[in-house]
Every structure is written in C-alpha cells, then in structure tokens.
Amino acid sequence: MARRAELGWREVNRRFVTGAGTRVFCVDTGHTPEPGTTPVELARCAGGTATSYEVVRLEAVAEQVMARGTEPDAYADAVARAAQEAVAGDGVVAVKSVAAYRTGLRLDPDPPSAAEVREAARRWRASGHRRLADPVLVRHLLWTAVELGLPLQLHVGFGDNDIRLHQVDPTHLTDWLHLMSGTIPVLLLHCWPYQRQAAYLAAVFEQVYLDVGLILHHAGPPRSRAILAEALEVAPFRKVLYSSDACGAAEFFLLGALTFREGLGGLLQERVDDDELSLKDALRIAAWIGHDNARRVYGLPGRDPEHAVDRLC
C-alpha cells in the first residue's frame, strides 16, 4: 500500500492495465454507485495502444427515464427512444441487463402487454424509489434489448448480497431463450456456481455464449483451471469468452488476465499432454476464447493474434 501511494494512482493504473496485455475493452458504463473509468480513459491507461467500446446498461436507461418524471402512459415509448439514443453513440457494441440483481431470472418469458407495462410503471412511480425492481419492467427491458438488435449481456450467478443465488440459475431463462431464438446473441456473464448450466445453454442454443470472469478473482490461479474445465465440458469452444470483470482497483485487470491465462493454459496443456488435443488445436482454442469469439459476437473489427478482448463488469 505504501508503494502504491508513492507511485500515485495514475502510474498504478498505467502499470496494471498495461501489464494485463489487453488491447480491446468492452466496458459496462452503467455501474452507478461510484463514477467508473470511461472507455476512453481506460484506453488511455493502457498507453493509448488499446481500443475501448461501450456496453449500455438498460436498467440505468430506464431509471433515467423515470427520474425525468415520465408518465406511466408514456413510459414504454420513452424507454424505447432513450435506449435507441443510448446505443446510437459511437463505440456502443452491446447492451446489458442486471435482472439477476433486481428480480432474479425466474421471469415470465413472454413479452409484457402494453397495459402490464403501463400499470407496472405506475406502481414504480408511486413507490418513489429510483431503483427499477419490478419483474414486469425487467421483462420489458429484455424484450427491448431484442428490438435493439445488439448483443445482450446478462449477469448470472455470483454477485453481491442483492443476489438471491437460487434465483439466478440461467436455466430459468430457457423458455425465454426459445421465444427469442433467431434474434440477438445472449452472453451469460460470470456464471459461478452455474457454469455447467450456462455451458449447457451454450451447447443447445445457437445464440448463447458465456464467460466465468468474475469468480476467477475469488478462486485465484489454483482453482481457475477447474472452473474453466467445468465451463468447457460441454460448451462449444466458439461460445466461451474471456472476461476479467475488472471493476474498481486496477489490480483486477492484471489479476483477471493472469488467472485466466494460467487456468486456460494449464487446462489446454493437460489435454495436449493426454493426447486429447494437438498443440495446433490448443493454440486455436486459446485464440478463440481470448479474442476471436468476442470479436465475432460483438462485430469488432480486425484480429489481434496476441491480446485478449476484455468484457468488463
């Protein structure tokens, strides 16, 4: 801590973010308890050699709409307009929902009717609460994401104490995934302890992808191989993505990258040693998970053979 203070936060951020070796960041900008580093600032921390893109958090968009005093009759149209405006900005590549924190994932899969949305908006406005936590309005946001046409990130599994862990098993989304099949990619974020359930969904639904980023901070290198192995038991190699889930201290950028690399590298080396994979195939899988899968699903330009695409928060 003394050395950190001596260097100063700017130099600490530069060293850790640069040391992570990441060249593309996809940043959730909707984390509201404290101001977060913007995509532009994050790229600057990496010495100007990185590119950053934005992920729009839909609950934050809806909360801004309600904070403006929007009438319940106008809520649905106002959210649709605000969401369209938010994703029209430069560098937006995806949207995100934190339904897991607000209601859990045991949601009615069908789109809510206009009357249901109007009544739920009336209840929310009358409550005086800023935080969106109504199941009808959360459902409405999921279907809004489908209309927007961009990839949708969904937090799954481990989180803070707002999470009710038994309610955030991603298989609760099965009926919804059937209904929205053929529309947009759905990315299940972090997933522990449901990495096997998420892997199953990625195996049976063309539009589903996953990562295990957040839990690797907690498990560390010794357990990261086992967690990644469980995620890769049935998930197609083209459906798993890297994520550091770095949020807060810059150390998490380097820790996330180090833990992931050691875990995946050890797992793939084990399979090469056991003659389950050729070295060429192992390197191809590492490239897919480290960057190619993310570039494909988010529509990012180019291909970088050395550096990961990091999906944050």
Side-chain angles (χ1 to χ4, degrees):
M1 294 302 293
R3 179 61 172 153
R4 205 182 197 286
E6 178 185 350
L7 288 169
W9 64 266
R10 286 186 177 86
E11 178 62 12
V12 168
N13 289 353
R14 186 193 67 78
R15 291 191 184 193
F16 279 119
V17 175
T18 302
T22 306
R23 289 296 175 266
V24 180
F25 299 96
C26 297
V27 187
D28 170 11
T29 56
H31 186 66
T32 55
E34 299 176 4
T37 301
T38 68
V40 171
E41 291 167 339
L42 185 56
R44 191 176 297 123
C45 284
T49 60
T51 304
S52 287
Y53 297 94
E54 182 179 359
V55 178
V56 171
R57 188 178 293 199
L58 293 174
E59 285 81 5
V61 171
E63 286 163 356
Q64 291 165 5
V65 167
M66 184 58 73
R68 294 198 292 263
T70 303
E71 294 292 337
D73 287 349
Y75 173 83
D77 288 341
V79 167
R81 286 194 303 273
Q84 287 284 359
E85 291 170 3
V87 303
D90 290 340
V92 175
V93 294
V95 295
K96 177 179 179 178
S97 170
V98 288
Y101 285 96
R102 305 305 181 85
T103 61
L105 303 178
R106 292 177 179 266
L107 295 166
D108 183 337
D110 292 313
S113 68
E116 288 176 308
V117 173
R118 185 167 55 249
E119 176 58 22
R122 185 198 62 75
R123 289 195 304 268
W124 183 19
R125 180 171 178 175
S127 74
H129 297 149
R130 183 184 185 280
R131 180 182 169 91
L132 189 159
D134 187 289
V136 171
L137 298 183
V138 169
R139 276 168 56 209
H140 174 250
L141 288 181
L142 296 185
W143 286 104
T144 297
V146 172
E147 293 297 321
L148 290 170
L150 291 175
L152 169 64
Q153 297 181 349
L154 290 171
H155 183 103
V156 169
F158 188 93
D160 62 32
N161 64 9
D162 283 344
I163 292 280
R164 301 300 182 264
L165 199 59
H166 65 290
Q167 295 181 352
V168 293
D169 180 332
T171 57
H172 293 316
L173 297 168
T174 301
D175 289 341
W176 179 73
L177 291 169
H178 276 291
L179 290 175
M180 56 79 64
S181 179
T183 58
I184 60 173
V186 175
L187 299 114
L188 306 177
L189 274 57
H190 318 320
C191 298
W192 186 93
Y194 299 117
Q195 60 267 25
R196 281 177 161 146
Q197 286 87 335
Y200 156 74
L201 293 174
V204 300
F205 286 101
E206 180 63 29
Q207 75 270 33
V208 175
Y209 300 77
L210 74 145
D211 75 59
V212 292
L214 172 58
I215 197 60
L216 299 187
H217 294 168
H218 298 266
R223 290 294 300 161
S224 63
R225 185 191 303 190
I227 293 168
L228 282 163
E230 290 175 352
L232 288 168
E233 284 172 343
V234 297
F237 296 127
R238 299 302 297 267
K239 295 294 200 73
V240 180
L241 283 72
Y242 166 68
S243 166
S244 74
D245 194 57
C247 182
E251 283 85 342
F252 284 124
F253 287 91
L254 183 57
L255 179 62
L258 174 66
T259 303
F260 168 80
R261 286 176 178 136
E262 290 195 5
L264 183 63
L267 173 63
L268 293 175
Q269 184 64 59
E270 182 180 275
R271 293 189 177 187
V272 171
D273 293 342
D274 290 343
D275 203 26
E276 296 179 25
L277 288 173
S278 69
L279 178 59
K280 181 179 180 180
D281 284 340
L283 293 173
R284 181 182 293 114
I285 290 166
W288 287 347
I289 296 174
H291 45 80
D292 288 349
N293 293 347
R295 288 185 184 279
R296 186 179 72 257
V297 74
Y298 291 116
L300 305 179
R303 181 182 183 278
D304 187 333
E306 299 179 0
H307 301 289
V309 175
D310 192 356
R311 307 188 302 150
L312 305 176
C313 297

